[in-house]
Amino acid sequence: MMPFRTLPMRGLKAAAVAAAVSLGLLAAPGARAQEHEIKIPDTRYSFDGLFGTYDRGELQRGFQVYKEVCAACHAMHLLSYRNLRDIGLSDAEVRAVAQSYQIQDGPNDNGEMFERPGRPSDRFRRPFPNDAAARAANNGALPPDLSVITKARVGGADYIHALLTGYEETPPPGITIMEGMHYNKYFPGHQIAMPPPLTGEGQVQYGDSTKATPDQMARDVAAFLTWAAEPELETRRTMGVRIILFLVILGGLTYAVKRKIWARAGGDHVS
Amino acid sequence: MASGLHESSFANPVVRWIDQRMPIFTMIQKEYGTFPTPRNFNYFWNFGALAMINLVIMIATGVFLAMNYAAHTSLAFESVERIMRDVNYGWLIRYVHMNGASMFFIVVYIHIWRGLYYGSYKAPRELLWMLGVVIFILMMATAFMGYVLPWGQMSFWGATVITNLFSAIPLVGDSIVTLLWGGFSVDNPTLNRFFSLHYLLPFVIVGVVFLHVAALHITGSNNPLGIDPKGPQDTVPFHPYYTAKDSVGMIVYFIVFAFLVFFVPNYLGHPDNYIPANPLSTPAHIVPEWYFLPFYAILRAVPNKLGGVLMMFGAIAILFVLPWLDRSPVRSMRFRPIAKWLMLLWSANFLVLMWAGGRPAEGTYVLIARLCTAYYFAYFLVILPLLSKVERPLPLPESISRAVLRGGGPLRGAAAAKPMEKA
Amino acid sequence: MADTLAPSSSPSTGGAHGPEQGTKRDFLKLVTGSFAVIGVGAIAWPFIASMNPAKDVLALASTDVDLSHIAEGQAVTVMWRGKPVFVRHRTPQEIEQARSVEVSSLRDPEADAARVQKAPWLIVVGVCTHLGCVPLGQKPTDPRGDYGGWFCPCHGSEYDTSGRIRRGPAPLNLVVPEYAFTSDTQIRIG
């Protein structure tokens, strides 16, 4: 029968066009990545690749680093305490974390705002009431909200880890650092207002046996921030595997049906 | 049968009752059932159907996103993230919508490419082609306004840059830009009207698609040989032949789509759009979405503001007059030995423009963009009109069935010609 | 749509290729069709589910109420899941009134004891079971109907001091939400 004989040629041509279009697509983001001439070192994470998942222990350590170090300046306004159930905290632990924060509420019956202990449904408390206050407290620099930071930076978790470990006390010769700024190998422009946040071993006390080296803390918090930005990642990937498997089977069946149908017309001959 | 009723051939009494009063089933049967379709389509002919499916997907996901989206500058970014985090399957619906835009352009670009390569724009399909260009323009407008809605940095600055294009118009430019904005910068009024229009335009597209298909069903489809079917032996009924073949293409399309959505949902997006819009700071490199890059490259290739804007819009508008620029009577590039290669070069040229549009506008990138822009227009304005006169096409096959069934295949189409005419 | 002018305007050519042949294809078609139907069903589900309450809405599903400010005979209205909840501190007479009724004579028979956790505190959702209006009776100046509870102004349903329907078109008693005393003077609804 004909179909097999003509199929490869057609397939090839269609594939060629598809490949050409995809090449165009590949070129676009690739071009953007190169614009940051700084090479960001690759860090290995459990969620790397197409099928990776989060390491709950790492996420919890990362949350601890965020809570005890980053949260002094950086908000994570899109997250609520209840979301911490996803990283493996129990309901009681979530409630305890929430209650350790005073959240502004109100107005009460007297029309006044008041503070109360947090509830799981509350958003993470912001360290500053507004951007102006945040700038005022930080030499005019605004510490960005970290809720979706790994999606908002080229390099994602790798970049966060690199940035947190990329400080150098003495900048390379020829570079003068402005007052109140710090030299960082991986920050675009190399001058960052944030002082080195992870300074020494044991800055946080991990509950598990992991050693809290700056590198470890940077890695953990980068993992936590990735989860914060993409809490759906694991569900998404699992669902994706199932759906693509389903489609492959359905595709095979559909192709068989199509060939049967076309056999009646003497085959699907394409000139 | 009572007078005034349509003569229906359906046996099912309910279908028949409706069909007699409103022959919608007869119409479907005629246009998608027995519709005689050239028997030699290759898989490029899937892409029209795929575009239709993609439009439906975009409208469906869009309607459900709108149930949770808040079109206000202070809420838009958060409401999108709320969809991603709190709404049941919200992340799925949003990623499908977001990547659906990219899929739509992939599909439509291939669909347009097919039209260019096989000469589907030539008589008698000029109006069909022009309606397609209208759809393409509406799609670009819709996609642009949709990209503004999440109110990230790229949304805001993309909106600012693109609306500012209109300021290049002499005399009234600034007034037009103010009118588009509803203020003195891109702000809440802009966001609100973009949301309104982003919701409206897809339905306008549906309307033009209907006209596009109506025109198609008058002229019939073109085919890879570019010659007209000469009789029933050259065609097959649309159903089940092309419904089946389109289904195969559709599943492959779904697999690619699913891979994007489930495994690399942000690959085609830009990280800066996850930073909330900030009118005080422009990102270092602002680039439009990938599907606008070729046109963006043309815009930047011209060192004059008005000139760049005119060239960019001209790059699309030129498609309207293409049927009259290419006067060669041969449709398919397969039989045009010179035009074929220059057309393929034009295709590569388009991809290079896409690449150049994503690079910074400096140095060699600008030079490359200029050369490519020149070729883009030269192909339409010089090469095609000239080739229409000088090129000697290869001999065309006698008929579709001859070309298709030659060499080994059972000549059933030809043999069956007689009985079919009776049927 | 207008008549097609396509060069080949003959009617269906499908018949020429003979009737459907063999059971193999029919089976294949059946399997493929079933798969496709499953696929379409699976596509529909996320859309439908997305219309159910989102996670942040569900997280707000409980409300805390401080009872210490509510004097005997008084009532307050609090918001819970976007609806009013009536919290009434009943007087002994009102309790007595609610408990002395013959339960079997009621339209929606329910003993008062089954509707409260602590006798003085009646907590009901303030939505008339007829068509969803908010009954009057929270303020001292409001009409409370002949049974001393609530009176719905929309269609005249009257509720007693246990929130039970006594007269009018409403079919059921006011709903008692799930709640718990978190302390002597605190309840959490939901």
Side-chain angles (χ1 to χ4, degrees):
Chain A
M1 287 291 252
M2 282 294 284
F4 277 125
R5 267 177 46 190
T6 46
L7 181 80
M9 269 305 293
R10 284 178 285 129
L12 272 182
K13 199 175 275 175
V17 171
V21 173
S22 338
L23 269 180
L25 298 188
L26 286 171
R32 296 195 293 254
Q34 278 174 29
E35 281 156 18
H36 299 256
E37 327 74 24
I38 312 160
K39 178 102 181 69
I40 292 164
D42 192 28
T43 313
R44 295 249 144 254
Y45 291 103
S46 59
F47 50 82
D48 281 348
L50 294 183
F51 307 107
T53 53
Y54 292 123
D55 169 351
R56 289 290 178 286
E58 184 171 49
L59 297 185
Q60 291 181 21
R61 293 195 301 272
F63 171 59
Q64 198 185 346
V65 175
Y66 167 74
K67 191 171 68 157
E68 294 174 20
V69 183
C70 320
C73 301
H74 291 278
M76 287 185 83
H77 181 60
L78 298 176
L79 274 84
S80 302
Y81 296 112
R82 65 188 157 84
N83 296 138
L84 295 171
R85 281 180 204 130
D86 275 9
I87 65 168
L89 299 196
S90 67
D91 280 1
E93 286 168 322
V94 168
R95 207 165 297 128
V97 170
Q99 278 173 351
S100 67
Y101 292 94
Q102 289 293 311
I103 305 289
Q104 194 181 53
D105 201 348
N108 63 13
D109 296 345
N110 300 322
E112 288 154 354
M113 301 306 277
F114 59 94
E115 297 221 315
R116 56 160 176 80
R119 300 180 191 131
S121 60
D122 288 321
R123 297 282 186 92
F124 278 21
R125 194 183 64 166
R126 301 178 196 243
F128 303 103
N130 51 55
D131 285 358
R135 280 185 195 280
N138 287 286
N139 248 335
L142 177 67
D145 187 287
L146 299 182
S147 310
V148 287
I149 200 77
T150 59
K151 284 199 289 192
R153 294 289 182 276
V154 175
D158 289 343
Y159 171 74
I160 302 295
H161 173 263
L163 184 83
L164 292 175
T165 54
Y167 285 91
E168 266 167 28
E169 278 190 29
T170 44
I175 294 183
T176 32
I177 294 294
M178 289 194 304
E179 180 70 27
M181 302 296 265
H182 309 269
Y183 180 81
N184 189 303
K185 277 188 285 187
Y186 302 111
F187 189 70
H190 299 300
Q191 300 204 38
I192 185 168
M194 174 169 72
L198 304 173
T199 45
E201 198 170 318
Q203 194 174 353
V204 299
Q205 294 292 325
Y206 280 150
D208 56 17
S209 57
T210 313
K211 243 168 102 180
T213 61
D215 183 77
Q216 183 66 41
M217 291 187 286
R219 171 191 294 266
D220 290 345
V221 83
F224 170 72
L225 293 175
T226 306
W227 164 81
E230 299 180 88
E232 87 296 342
L233 177 136
E234 290 171 335
T235 330
R236 172 157 59 73
R237 289 176 175 174
T238 323
M239 199 185 283
V241 169
R242 285 183 198 151
I243 286 177
I244 288 180
L245 280 179
F246 173 85
L247 285 172
V248 167
I249 296 170
L250 180 60
L253 287 168
T254 310
Y255 184 67
V257 168
K258 180 244 162 197
R259 280 199 52 208
K260 282 279 174 193
I261 287 172
W262 276 87
R264 279 189 278 160
D268 174 9
H269 309 287
V270 174
S271 44
Chain B
M1 184 185 290
S3 66
L5 286 182
H6 175 79
E7 188 134 0
S8 179
S9 54
F10 288 91
N12 181 311
V14 177
V15 170
R16 186 183 175 82
W17 187 90
I18 296 172
D19 202 55
Q20 285 172 334
R21 282 151 185 84
M22 183 177 62
I24 186 162
F25 293 101
T26 299
M27 194 196 92
I28 293 171
Q29 172 74 10
K30 192 173 131 217
E31 304 297 340
Y32 288 99
T34 57
F35 190 68
T37 313
R39 62 183 306 151
N40 61 330
F41 283 178
N42 57 28
Y43 276 99
F44 283 121
W45 263 261
N46 278 167
F47 286 86
L50 294 182
M52 190 102 85
I53 292 161
N54 207 319
L55 178 60
V56 172
I57 292 174
M58 293 307 276
I59 291 178
T61 49
V63 165
F64 280 83
L65 286 176
M67 292 180 190
N68 287 294
Y69 172 75
H72 189 281
T73 50
S74 60
L75 299 171
F77 188 89
E78 265 197 45
S79 73
V80 171
E81 276 298 322
R82 181 178 165 272
I83 290 171
M84 297 290 293
R85 290 158 190 277
D86 288 332
V87 174
N88 304 309
Y89 295 101
W91 60 268
L92 177 58
I93 297 173
R94 193 222 167 194
Y95 276 155
V96 167
H97 196 73
M98 195 173 122
N99 287 286
S102 286
M103 288 302 289
F104 208 171
F105 276 94
I106 294 175
V107 164
V108 164
Y109 276 138
I110 295 175
H111 187 62
I112 294 174
W113 185 89
R114 190 217 58 203
L116 289 170
Y117 187 82
Y118 295 108
S120 305
Y121 49 84
K122 293 189 185 182
R125 300 186 182 83
E126 305 95 321
L127 186 61
L128 171 61
W129 169 261
M130 292 164 82
L131 287 166
V133 179
V134 171
I135 295 170
F136 180 49
I137 292 171
L138 288 171
M139 256 180 79
M140 295 210 284
T142 310
F144 160 66
M145 287 190 273
Y147 193 58
V148 175
L149 303 184
W151 209 242
Q153 275 287 65
M154 280 293 163
S155 300
F156 181 87
W157 292 102
T160 301
V161 168
I162 300 299
T163 48
N164 263 315
L165 291 179
F166 293 90
S167 71
I169 301 169
L171 300 175
V172 292
D174 287 333
S175 319
I176 289 179
V177 174
T178 308
L179 181 81
L180 289 176
W181 287 343
F184 302 101
S185 64
V186 173
D187 208 338
N188 200 48
T190 326
L191 179 61
N192 273 300
R193 64 190 57 184
F194 277 21
F195 179 52
S196 169
L197 294 174
H198 181 71
Y199 208 122
L200 169 71
L201 286 186
F203 297 97
V204 178
I205 294 178
V206 169
V208 185
V209 165
F210 184 81
L211 298 178
H212 189 66
V213 172
L216 172 72
H217 283 225
I218 295 295
T219 63
S221 295
N222 187 26
N223 64 77
L225 294 173
I227 56 175
D228 293 330
K230 295 198 168 60
Q233 71 280 6
D234 288 346
T235 63
V236 289
F238 190 86
H239 180 75
Y241 292 98
Y242 285 114
T243 39
K245 195 160 178 170
D246 282 345
S247 302
V248 173
M250 185 175 77
I251 304 293
V252 174
Y253 153 87
F254 276 144
I255 291 174
V256 175
F257 201 158
F259 179 77
L260 279 178
V261 166
F262 291 104
F263 294 102
V264 285
N266 291 304
Y267 177 72
L268 293 171
H270 196 291
D272 279 357
N273 223 28
Y274 282 105
I275 303 171
N278 177 0
L280 298 178
S281 121
T282 310
H285 296 288
I286 64 165
V287 280
E289 289 285 81
W290 68 265
Y291 36 80
F292 291 137
L293 289 176
F295 303 101
Y296 191 59
I298 292 175
L299 169 77
R300 297 190 310 179
V302 184
N304 171 287
K305 184 172 173 181
L306 180 59
V309 173
L310 288 178
M311 291 283 265
M312 187 181 78
F313 287 116
I316 299 159
I318 201 166
L319 297 175
F320 279 116
V321 292
L322 175 58
W324 294 276
L325 293 172
D326 180 5
R327 306 307 298 258
S328 168
V330 176
R331 294 198 190 102
S332 176
M333 289 291 176
R334 218 173 258 184
F335 304 106
R336 302 185 63 187
I338 308 172
K340 175 184 182 172
W341 294 108
L342 294 174
M343 193 274 153
L344 291 175
L345 181 62
W346 180 87
S347 317
N349 185 70
F350 187 78
L351 294 176
V352 175
L353 275 173
M354 189 182 281
W355 167 81
R359 315 299 319 226
E362 58 199 29
T364 42
Y365 302 129
V366 178
L367 185 69
I368 293 171
R370 282 185 187 159
L371 289 173
C372 291
T373 304
Y375 185 73
Y376 182 99
F377 285 98
Y379 175 75
F380 292 120
L381 294 172
V382 181
I383 293 174
L384 283 178
L386 214 61
L387 282 183
S388 316
K389 294 204 170 70
V390 302
E391 188 184 37
R392 277 190 60 187
L394 305 176
L396 294 177
E398 207 175 294
S399 74
I400 293 175
S401 53
R402 267 301 170 84
V404 167
L405 301 173
R406 109 190 88 107
L411 281 162
R412 282 178 60 184
K418 274 271 154 62
M420 267 191 289
E421 272 157 6
K422 262 187 269 167
Chain C
M1 252 178 250
D3 279 357
T4 174
L5 298 176
S8 157
S9 55
S10 74
S12 167
T13 53
H17 303 299
E20 317 247 318
Q21 343 148 318
T23 53
K24 191 176 165 200
R25 209 200 82 229
D26 293 339
F27 178 69
L28 188 65
K29 255 188 165 174
L30 195 71
V31 173
T32 312
S34 328
F35 257 75
V37 167
I38 294 170
V40 171
I43 288 170
W45 173 243
F47 288 109
I48 297 164
S50 80
M51 294 176 73
N52 266 323
K55 293 192 196 96
D56 59 331
V57 176
L58 294 175
L60 286 176
S62 66
T63 303
D64 289 313
V65 187
D66 184 4
L67 303 178
S68 57
H69 302 300
I70 309 170
E72 203 172 81
Q74 271 193 344
V76 297
T77 307
V78 295
M79 280 287 270
W80 175 65
R81 292 185 177 172
K83 289 181 287 196
V85 169
F86 296 156
V87 181
R88 189 184 278 196
H89 193 170
R90 298 189 292 184
T91 61
Q93 295 93 306
E94 284 174 329
I95 299 171
E96 174 52 30
Q97 206 181 334
R99 302 211 156 168
S100 59
V101 184
E102 178 62 44
V103 172
S104 57
S105 71
L106 295 171
R107 184 178 302 170
D108 180 12
E110 227 181 340
D112 181 65
R115 292 175 55 79
V116 294
Q117 291 183 16
K118 292 186 181 178
W121 297 102
L122 175 66
I123 291 135
V124 288
V125 175
V127 174
C128 182
T129 57
H130 180 219
L131 291 172
C133 297
V134 178
L136 298 172
Q138 287 293 89
K139 279 183 256 162
T141 52
D142 280 350
R144 289 186 169 183
D146 291 348
Y147 299 91
W150 289 272
F151 170 76
C152 183
C154 289
H155 305 96
S157 293
E158 292 175 41
Y159 298 90
D160 67 12
T161 54
S162 188
R164 292 172 298 201
I165 180 64
R166 301 298 288 274
R167 188 190 286 156
L172 298 171
N173 301 334
L174 292 178
V175 173
V176 177
E178 241 181 74
Y179 67 95
F181 279 84
T182 47
S183 74
D184 278 352
T185 58
Q186 277 264 323
I187 57 165
R188 171 171 295 154
I189 306 170

